[in-house]
Amino acid sequence: MIGLGFLYLVAGATFAAFAVLSVAGRPRHPGNALFYALIAVSFLLGDRLGDLGNGILVLAIVLAATLGRMGSRDRPQEPAAPRGSMLFVPALVIPVTALAGTLLFSQLPGVVDPKQATLVSLTLGVILALAICYLWLRPAPAEPFRQGTRLMDHIGWAAILPQMLASLGAVFALAGMGGVVGSLIGHVIPEGSVLGAVTVYCLGMALFTVIMGNAFAAFPVMLTAIGLPLLIHTYGGAPAPVAAIGMLAGFCGTLMTPMAANFNLVPAALLELRDRYGVIRAQIPTAIPLLIFNIVLLYWVM
């Protein structure tokens, strides 16, 4: 049965290719190569390393990212031949394949792990889009990976920031931080006030996301602190909308924080914007009304 192992194999092989190209390219980037190689090891051999081995590997990845040896390659790129709107076809193949595969694999039990059907389908969509690009654009065999390496060089350590922050949220949840936060801010909420609980929950999701840079890191803390004990258990809210709207409130925080570097700082760097925080400044007028709307929406569905 196809599951996460397939995703890890594809991701590990991709990062291994990035590592090789970082050494073989001009100029060479040994710091980048080490960073990509360690990530490749985590994908390919993580199941065999055990908890201690994976912990050491994570520390090594962080060390490689913070030594200051990573660099970007700003080689001049040859102008691409105009292809018009057809260039969107490979990009659109990915979500279409993900949706189609999710629906198809649900009708074919035993082929793909039902819990991972969407991720497997998404990976197949990426492979299919890459195949289409090879057949249509006829690049050199290593060119897609070379361009992928160039993009990753620009992104740098921020590439693993979402995974790190999501892991941090899991650590906070296991450490009981949600209960601590709940006891601290529970006194702020008027007793019996559904609106107060909803407001604190959504604002807390946005605020913790601003601090930690990832709504997935904030979610276990705020769900444990406010979502489960008050909104669901005390006031009888349905778990699905409480969780979904809470995440949307957290995403509003994502739009407003430099901690979400992969969303906000990396695009500014790739687009060579003069204002490093230009993306954030442009998103704040949208994020705040959306946050207010989420508060109203969750109160309405409670």
Side-chain angles (χ1 to χ4, degrees), residues 260-296:
N262 54 314
F263 290 109
N264 299 330
L265 299 187
V266 169
L270 294 179
L271 295 173
E272 298 181 352
L273 301 182
R274 293 183 178 179
D275 185 358
R276 185 185 183 192
Y277 302 106
V279 173
I280 297 174
R281 298 184 200 280
Q283 292 173 162
I284 287 177
T286 301
I288 293 177
L290 279 177
L291 179 58
I292 296 172
F293 174 78
N294 284 320
I295 294 172
V296 174

Side-chain angles (χ1 to χ4, degrees), residues 138-154:
R138 302 295 178 88
E143 189 60 24
F145 299 96
R146 187 174 293 111
Q147 294 299 324
T149 305
R150 187 175 66 86
L151 179 60
M152 285 297 301
D153 288 346
H154 278 289

Side-chain angles (χ1 to χ4, degrees), residues 24 46 51 102 106 135 158 187 212 222 244 267 281:
D51 294 339
T102 302
S106 65
L135 293 175
H187 303 291
M212 294 190 281
M222 291 309 301
R281 298 184 200 280

Side-chain angles (χ1 to χ4, degrees), residues 48-65:
R48 302 180 183 181
L49 294 178
D51 294 339
L52 179 60
N54 279 293
I56 295 174
L57 182 60
V58 169
L59 293 177
I61 291 174
V62 173
L63 186 62

